[in-house]
Amino acid sequence: TYNISFWLKKRGYMRKAEQRMARIDAVSEKRKKVLAYKDVYPENLSDSEYQSVRLIIKVKTPEDITFRVFTQGNGDFRVDRVDIQQID
C-alpha cells in the first residue's frame, strides 16, 4: 500500500469555482487500469502555498505506475511534485 501525495496550489483567477479544476490519478501500465483517482476543486487548494492532495493505492507486486494530472481549463494551478511513501 502506498500513499501518493500530489503537491498542488491554485494561482489566481478561477473561471467557475464550483467546477472541477483537475483530476489526479495513478494508472497501472501493465494492467492499463486506473488504481485510484481524485477530483480537485478550487476550494481544496490554497493560493499561497502548496498543499498535499493524496491518493492511496494498493499493489500486490512491483509494477510500473504512471501518475497523471488532468486540467479542466478552469483556471491556473501549479504542480510542485509527487511524493510516494510505502505505508505497509
Side-chain angles (χ1 to χ4, degrees):
T1 304
Y2 293 88
N3 177 29
I4 312 302
S5 295
F6 291 75
W7 290 88
L8 310 170
K9 74 175 176 178
K10 64 184 174 183
R11 183 164 173 188
Y13 176 70
M14 303 309 303
R15 288 175 187 84
K16 296 180 182 176
E18 70 282 355
Q19 288 188 349
R20 180 174 74 192
M21 188 171 76
R23 172 172 281 178
I24 59 173
D25 70 15
V27 178
S28 164
E29 288 300 309
K30 180 180 177 183
R31 296 180 278 158
K32 304 293 185 205
K33 177 181 175 185
V34 174
L35 302 173
Y37 75 91
K38 185 174 283 188
D39 291 333
V40 180
Y41 293 87
E43 64 266 15
N44 301 130
L45 300 178
S46 168
D47 285 327
S48 59
E49 57 187 57
Y50 285 96
Q51 293 176 269
S52 173
V53 180
R54 298 186 308 157
L55 298 177
I56 302 294
I57 62 170
K58 294 183 180 190
V59 291
K60 294 181 181 180
T61 59
E63 61 180 284
D64 290 337
I65 297 173
T66 300
F67 303 103
R68 306 183 298 184
V69 178
F70 295 95
T71 182
Q72 302 304 122
N74 188 27
D76 297 334
F77 70 98
R78 302 287 183 260
V79 180
D80 182 50
R81 67 185 184 274
V82 177
D83 292 336
I84 304 162
Q85 176 186 18
Q86 188 170 3
I87 54 177
D88 72 6

